[in-house]
Amino acid sequence: MATQSSTTSPFRATFQSNSNPPKTLLSLPGSFCRVAHNAKSRCTSASWRLSASSSSYGGATKLSAKPVVKQLLQKRRGVVRCATMEEIEAEKSNIEKDARARMEKSIDTVKTNFNSIRTGRSNPAMLDKIEVEYYGTPVSLKTIAQISTPDASSLLVQPYDKSSLKSIEKAIVNSDLGLTPNNDGEVIRLSIPQLTSDRRKEMSKMVAKLTEEGKVALRNIRRDALKAYEKLEKEKKLSEDNVKDLSADLQKLTDEYMKKIDTVFKQKEKELLKV
């Protein structure tokens, strides 16, 4: 009878299971589920891995917590949450409010620029754009002096600090107002001469230019708001029809402020042409 060899096949030994396998310290089955699209729920199974570390192949298996936490955070970061209707409405409202506020500031800027253009009558606002070198710093004239109108054809500038009289006088001379200051050491008096026909035409051109600059500013504000709406459309928060409706409303708002600028322009033009 042939003698049975007690030698184990090397191939069998390779796949033979250990009678005393190392015990796993922790088992983390399960999956991480979140709603990702419409009403359908999709679950992505979490891939939990254990890191074995030992001095020999027969050592105990140890759990590495860092990869597990990292994978969990990655899963959470990957979740996309759709904006609610309230959030979308809030974004639309903010865009409109911002556009309206900026348009109001544009109107105020146009009015300020118009006030700095002198007419045949005295007006303290004529000096609003004059800046004075005060202790090495340019400051607005109206912040360092009191400006009044004793009569319809003169202005009185009374500085809070008399040492600034020469600086104020210099600033007025260098301005484009065409006024000659009279400094008596206490106050500065300005006589407002009547505008010549040529000067009135020149001023009218300047007013028309400022008016057009104001309208360009309004168009730029409308453009920025449209870009904001288009961004919401790309983010699938607004439909194409929504953007069209909002664009129409934005155009109405722009037209409203265009009319305001035209009204201010006509008022200023009337002042300039008044004899």
Side-chain angles (χ1 to χ4, degrees):
M1 178 181 297
T3 306
Q4 184 177 4
S5 174
S6 61
T7 304
T8 306
S9 171
F11 294 100
R12 181 178 298 177
T14 302
F15 296 95
Q16 184 176 3
S17 61
N18 192 348
S19 58
N20 296 312
K23 296 181 179 180
T24 302
L25 298 182
L26 181 62
S27 177
L28 298 174
S31 61
F32 180 71
C33 303
R34 296 292 293 273
V35 176
H37 180 68
N38 296 336
K40 296 181 181 180
S41 299
R42 295 181 180 179
C43 297
T44 304
S45 298
S47 177
W48 305 96
R49 295 182 179 179
L50 299 178
S51 173
S53 174
S54 62
S55 59
S56 63
Y57 292 108
T61 302
K62 296 181 180 180
L63 175 65
S64 175
K66 290 183 179 179
V68 174
V69 174
K70 184 176 181 181
Q71 290 175 23
L72 181 59
L73 290 176
Q74 288 175 346
K75 295 292 183 183
R76 288 181 176 174
R77 291 192 189 106
V79 173
V80 178
R81 183 181 66 83
C82 296
T84 64
M85 289 301 298
E86 289 79 6
E87 290 171 337
I88 295 173
E89 288 298 325
E91 287 191 59
K92 287 162 52 180
S93 178
N94 288 336
I95 293 171
E96 183 181 354
K97 286 180 180 179
D98 178 68
R100 185 179 290 275
R102 291 175 62 190
M103 287 184 181
E104 281 289 346
K105 288 182 180 179
S106 295
I107 297 293
D108 292 339
T109 300
V110 171
K111 289 180 179 178
T112 300
N113 290 335
F114 282 178
N115 288 335
S116 65
I117 298 176
R118 76 177 183 88
T119 59
R121 296 180 62 85
S122 60
N123 183 357
M126 293 168 57
L127 306 180
D128 281 354
K129 295 182 69 175
I130 293 183
E131 289 191 342
V132 181
E133 194 75 17
Y134 188 63
Y135 291 101
T137 304
V139 297
S140 175
L141 173 59
K142 60 184 179 181
T143 63
I144 61 171
Q146 181 180 357
I147 305 171
S148 58
T149 54
D151 52 62
S153 61
S154 65
L155 288 173
L156 186 67
V157 181
Q158 186 171 4
Y160 303 122
D161 180 4
K162 292 182 181 180
S163 65
S164 63
L165 274 169
K166 289 185 178 181
S167 297
I168 293 174
E169 182 180 4
K170 181 180 178 180
I172 294 174
V173 171
N174 292 336
S175 70
D176 58 357
L177 291 175
L179 300 177
T180 302
N182 181 10
N183 183 0
D184 64 2
E186 294 289 333
V187 297
I188 292 178
R189 288 181 173 84
L190 297 170
S191 296
I192 312 299
Q194 289 296 316
L195 294 175
T196 63
S197 177
D198 291 340
R199 184 61 174 169
R200 290 179 191 277
K201 291 179 180 179
E202 183 181 341
M203 291 295 184
S204 294
K205 290 180 181 179
M206 188 180 299
V207 169
K209 181 181 177 182
L210 292 173
T211 301
E212 184 56 33
E213 289 177 356
K215 290 183 176 181
V216 169
L218 294 181
R219 295 188 192 103
N220 289 338
I221 294 169
R222 180 191 61 187
R223 178 201 61 198
D224 293 342
L226 284 175
K227 286 184 177 179
Y229 287 140
E230 290 170 358
K231 181 182 177 183
L232 293 180
E233 182 184 1
K234 289 180 180 179
E235 294 173 352
K236 305 300 181 183
K237 295 180 180 179
L238 293 177
S239 67
E240 184 178 351
D241 290 338
N242 290 149
V243 174
K244 286 182 180 179
D245 292 340
L246 291 170
S247 299
D249 292 341
L250 186 60
Q251 184 60 54
K252 291 178 181 178
L253 180 66
T254 305
D255 293 339
E256 175 187 338
Y257 280 89
M258 287 287 188
K259 290 179 181 179
K260 288 184 178 182
I261 286 186
D262 286 334
T263 300
V264 176
F265 166 69
K266 290 177 181 178
Q267 290 175 347
K268 188 64 179 181
E269 192 175 40
K270 185 177 180 180
E271 291 177 11
L272 287 171
L273 298 177
K274 187 177 181 180
V275 179

